[in-house]
Amino acid sequence: MSEVIALGQPTVGEAELAAIAEVFASGWLAGSGPTSRRFEERFAAAVGTRHALATSNCGSALHLALLTLGVKPGDEVIVGDYTFPATGHSVMWTGAKPVFADVRPDIWTVDPAAVEAAITPRTVGIIAVDAFGQPADYDELRAVADRHGLFLVEDAACSAGATYKGRPAGSLADVATFSFHGRKGITAGEGGAYVTDREDLAAHARKLHTYGVEGALTRAELSHLPIPTFTELGYNYRLSDVAAAIMIAQLDRLPDLLAAKRRTAARYGELLKDHELITTPYEAPDREHPWQSYVVTLDPSVDRGAVALALRQRGVQCTFGTYASHLQPLYGQTDPCPVSADLFARHLAIPMHANLTDAQVETVAATLVDVVTSAATGR
């Protein structure tokens, strides 16, 4: 087998190493330190919000979002169905119930009509998921939320650099959450962020993410010796200053990373557009897709498992898209989400990252076409 073409790959180098060295020299490696503050200021500016809080991952940011918005046991939160289960888990962590709503067949984000149909007297909010980074229909979702007195959260795990009608992902809801996992567009290996325009929510989130008290840096800046008092259950959801330093360097790279992935997405589109068994992803004209993943839809006649195995045998990494959450036994949902279920069965993610060469992209596309054709004909 020749070289393996990675499904995802971070773009890191000397800039990140220099940023880490600076943190090492500072002596403050723990979370919520001066480097984390610098990153938070930079990230808030990048996503167009007044406040940003660096967190240990996107799941912790989602949990904080729901806690600060007042979700409690017995509540229901409507969740876009086609998503990694961290979204549904975050609702369950509060003791509330996730209710999954079906998605659009073209851009795979939650259908506002399905959201409205799922509202009950117990519904308190909506979590929209930006599928593989492409933003959901936030104007329509905001209208639904306002009509029913609900909050709106943007699960922007994959969305750094995306836009919706000219507005950056992260600025589209009451609270938004991001992931900096290793496969995301900008990454420190792990990490996340909670962003909002609301001072009250941001202050409450900052308290909860440090065990329910003010952080050490804030206490160190006071002119006296404060002794924290614990009045509310909090968590250790902080991002280390080492990871925050990497994220500052990654933010500097973001425009170039986005440009590289847009070129790759365009090239895939050219190479795969005429294959009747492969449907390429659709980018809505009023949105800018960050292409965290490149996910094709296979014809129902194609054995996706056989395609995936053959691709891997030929050195092309791949995986399924994401989950039809309502099908996961944990959640116990009986109402169907047929669009999401169909996508779950037919989606295939192929290599997408900023380090792909033109030759690798052409190899991936040619191999995919060959393998899919073979799988469909049974050769």
Side-chain angles (χ1 to χ4, degrees), residues 39-129:
F39 167 65
E40 289 167 352
E41 291 169 359
R42 286 280 309 276
F43 194 68
V47 302
T49 59
R50 292 177 58 210
H51 306 283
L53 177 66
T55 63
S56 53
N57 51 59
C58 189
S60 61
L62 281 165
H63 189 202
L64 290 174
L66 298 174
L67 291 174
T68 56
L69 288 163
V71 178
K72 61 186 183 302
D75 290 340
E76 292 180 355
V77 178
I78 298 172
V79 178
D81 187 66
Y82 198 51
T83 180
F84 186 75
T87 317
H89 282 27
S90 69
V91 178
M92 294 184 71
W93 291 336
T94 70
K97 177 184 176 182
V99 176
F100 297 101
D102 212 351
V103 298
R104 287 177 49 170
D106 53 354
I107 61 171
W108 318 327
T109 60
V110 70
D111 183 341
V115 170
E116 189 136 34
I119 294 171
T120 76
R122 294 182 296 278
T123 305
V124 296
I126 304 162
I127 305 178
V129 181

Side-chain angles (χ1 to χ4, degrees), residues 9-336:
Q9 190 177 82
T11 304
V12 292
E14 293 300 323
E16 287 76 15
L17 290 172
I20 292 169
E22 186 176 337
V23 174
F24 282 6
S26 76
W28 191 306
L29 277 65
S32 297
T35 305
S36 288
R37 280 196 180 175
R38 287 199 300 274
F39 167 65
E40 289 167 352
E41 291 169 359
R42 286 280 309 276
F43 194 68
V47 302
T49 59
R50 292 177 58 210
H51 306 283
L53 177 66
T55 63
S56 53
N57 51 59
C58 189
S60 61
L62 281 165
H63 189 202
L64 290 174
L66 298 174
L67 291 174
T68 56
L69 288 163
V71 178
K72 61 186 183 302
D75 290 340
E76 292 180 355
V77 178
I78 298 172
V79 178
D81 187 66
Y82 198 51
T83 180
F84 186 75
T87 317
H89 282 27
S90 69
V91 178
M92 294 184 71
W93 291 336
T94 70
K97 177 184 176 182
V99 176
F100 297 101
D102 212 351
V103 298
R104 287 177 49 170
D106 53 354
I107 61 171
W108 318 327
T109 60
V110 70
D111 183 341
V115 170
E116 189 136 34
I119 294 171
T120 76
R122 294 182 296 278
T123 305
V124 296
I126 304 162
I127 305 178
V129 181
D130 298 342
F132 307 112
Q134 181 160 210
D137 297 313
Y138 285 98
D139 285 352
E140 293 86 346
L141 291 167
R142 172 57 69 190
V144 173
D146 289 348
R147 271 198 302 276
H148 296 275
L150 310 177
F151 65 71
L152 178 61
V153 170
E154 178 185 4
D155 182 341
C158 304
S159 308
T163 67
Y164 169 78
K165 299 183 178 180
R167 292 140 52 198
S171 67
L172 306 173
D174 298 307
V175 177
T177 63
F178 288 84
S179 173
F180 307 134
H181 177 266
R183 273 194 65 202
K184 299 302 186 286
I186 49 176
T187 181
E190 286 288 355
Y194 168 117
V195 303
T196 183
D197 277 335
R198 287 179 51 179
E199 173 69 35
D200 60 331
L201 296 181
H204 193 192
R206 190 170 293 280
K207 178 182 177 184
L208 290 179
H209 110 309
T210 308
Y211 290 109
V213 297
E214 289 185 331
L217 181 60
T218 300
R219 300 198 306 271
E221 293 170 340
L222 299 175
S223 58
H224 61 286
L225 180 62
I227 307 298
T229 300
F230 293 83
T231 60
E232 185 175 13
L233 180 65
Y235 307 85
N236 182 3
Y237 282 168
R238 295 166 296 191
L239 184 72
S240 78
D241 267 31
V242 177
I246 296 172
M247 289 310 305
I248 291 173
Q250 287 281 288
L251 273 177
D252 290 337
R253 291 187 187 271
L254 182 57
D256 290 340
L257 298 178
L258 290 169
K261 288 190 288 184
R262 289 189 72 82
R263 287 193 298 270
T264 293
R267 186 61 177 143
Y268 274 146
E270 294 170 357
L271 294 168
L272 298 173
K273 65 182 179 181
D274 295 326
H275 199 288
E276 61 181 8
L277 301 176
I278 301 169
T279 302
T280 56
Y282 172 70
E283 181 180 27
D286 59 354
R287 280 152 242 217
E288 289 182 295
H289 201 315
W291 299 109
Q292 182 267 333
S293 296
Y294 193 89
V295 179
V296 298
T297 308
L298 301 180
D299 187 83
S301 66
V302 175
D303 183 337
R304 182 180 60 175
V307 168
L309 179 61
L311 285 173
R312 290 169 177 169
Q313 288 174 338
R314 292 172 62 170
V316 176
Q317 290 187 350
C318 60
T319 190
F320 62 98
T322 192
Y323 292 85
S325 295
H326 77 287
L327 297 177
Q328 301 308 310
L330 170 68
Y331 300 122
Q333 177 158 325
T334 56
D335 292 340

